[in-house]
Amino acid sequence: MLNVVLVEPEIPNNTGNIGRLCVGTESRLHLIHPFGFVINDANLKRSGLDYWVHLDVTEYQNVEEWMKQIPDKSRVFLMSSHATNSMYENEFQDGDWLVFGKESRGLSQEVLDLFENHLTIPMSKKIRSFNIANSVAFVVGEAKRQIALK
């Protein structure tokens, strides 16, 4: 099972879409506070996520609390549009941690400095980044494809 981590998510619709993706791909969702919204029925219904009851989700008050759950830091992959290593050059494994930052700024330098594996999703120079829900779908899809081939 893959672990999808959202650090300080800001937009409820994106988190709802990512939650739905996690249910569909049998991945775990880890949410690190603070959030830019409140997790409630209205926000979840707005993003079409009546699947939330089926979601394996854990909330953490901060990055330090989340890090205590990681058995092997070498299997944590931080997604950044500034990284030089492509996600397509990485070999994913079942149980990996796929970490995404807040919509407005991505991951802070402080969080990036905690782990050595930084990956990017190749994209046209015409955009700064992909929408976070799309980014999670790209990476989870590639990781699931690789895991299925093993």
Side-chain angles (χ1 to χ4, degrees):
M1 191 174 267
L2 292 169
N3 294 285
V4 174
V5 182
L6 303 182
V7 180
E8 301 179 8
E10 298 171 313
I11 301 173
N13 290 6
N14 286 334
T15 302
N17 287 326
I18 293 164
R20 185 175 186 156
L21 176 78
C22 286
V23 171
T25 60
E26 298 180 328
S27 301
R28 290 185 184 101
L29 181 59
H30 303 266
L31 301 173
I32 301 176
H33 285 268
F35 302 161
F37 58 91
V38 175
I39 293 181
N40 60 29
D41 285 341
N43 283 333
L44 297 176
K45 286 178 183 170
R46 195 171 309 123
S47 60
L49 189 67
D50 51 347
Y51 303 100
W52 197 264
V53 296
H54 304 291
L55 180 61
D56 183 347
V57 61
T58 305
E59 293 182 35
Y60 305 93
Q61 291 307 308
N62 52 51
V63 170
E64 293 76 24
E65 182 182 350
W66 161 66
M67 286 181 63
K68 293 175 186 173
Q69 309 304 309
I70 303 168
D72 180 0
K73 285 177 68 174
S74 74
R75 300 311 309 169
V76 177
F77 300 94
L78 284 71
M79 304 304 148
S80 170
S81 60
H82 304 292
T84 56
N85 295 332
S86 168
M87 63 174 257
Y88 297 114
E89 297 167 354
N90 190 67
E91 292 186 24
F92 293 105
Q93 299 175 12
D94 195 31
D96 281 351
W97 298 81
L98 312 174
V99 184
F100 301 83
K102 62 172 74 176
E103 289 91 338
S104 63
R105 293 185 208 130
L107 292 165
S108 69
Q109 191 61 50
E110 180 179 90
V111 172
L112 289 167
D113 290 343
L114 295 171
F115 301 92
E116 60 187 59
N117 297 318
H118 301 181
L119 301 175
T120 191
I121 302 167
M123 68 185 103
S124 161
K125 300 225 183 285
K126 296 176 184 174
I127 62 172
R128 284 187 313 275
S129 63
F130 290 110
N131 169 279
I132 189 170
N134 292 338
S135 295
V136 174
F138 276 125
V139 180
V140 169
E142 175 62 12
K144 295 291 277 187
R145 183 192 71 78
Q146 288 183 19
I147 291 166
L149 294 175
K150 293 180 183 175

